[in-house]
């Protein structure tokens, strides 16, 4: 069973979506001590927002660095539909 952290917003620098990944070593330590968790991001940057695109790149870099310890998914859209 995983703890799931979700974040669904337009990617913009002032929203600080990548703040979770400022200390990769600490995240690995938390995962090893507290148990497995996963992070799900959703959203995209405005086409003219270079800073927002950089935030998404940093999230993908963190995903690569943490792939053995923490599952991270990035969904391009924030529209989630649950079917019955």
């Amino acid at each position: 069973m995983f703890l799931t952290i979700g974040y669904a917003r337009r990617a913009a620098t002032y929203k600080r979506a990548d703040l979770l990944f400022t200390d990769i070593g600490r995240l690995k330590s938390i995962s090893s001590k507290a148990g497995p968790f996963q992070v799900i991001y959703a959203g995209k940057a405005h086409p003219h927002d270079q800073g927002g695109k950089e935030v998404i790149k940093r999230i993908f870099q963190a995903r690569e660095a943490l792939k053995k310890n923490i599952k991270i998914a990035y969904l391009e859209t924030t529209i989630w539909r649950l079917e019955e």
Side-chain angles (χ1 to χ4, degrees):
M1 185 166 196
F2 284 89
L3 168 69
T4 300
I5 299 170
Y7 184 91
R9 301 280 183 270
R10 180 169 290 281
T13 54
Y14 73 92
K15 294 183 181 181
R16 303 177 71 183
D18 58 342
L19 184 63
L20 181 64
F21 306 117
T22 56
D23 190 344
I24 299 288
R26 186 168 183 211
L27 273 179
K28 289 179 181 179
S29 175
I30 290 169
S31 176
S32 69
K33 292 177 184 174
F37 65 94
Q38 60 188 357
V39 182
I40 301 173
Y41 281 93
K44 54 185 169 183
H46 186 278
H48 301 295
D49 183 3
Q50 193 59 38
K53 293 174 186 178
E54 291 297 321
V55 168
I56 294 171
K57 285 181 186 177
R58 287 193 295 272
I59 291 170
F60 275 85
Q61 290 168 349
R63 182 176 75 170
E64 185 64 27
L66 291 165
K67 68 181 175 184
K68 293 181 182 177
N69 306 92
I70 300 168
K71 295 180 183 210
I72 301 170
Y74 199 100
L75 307 173
E76 188 175 309
T77 182
T78 58
I79 300 171
W80 295 359
R81 179 191 289 184
L82 299 175
E83 300 287 338
E84 291 186 37

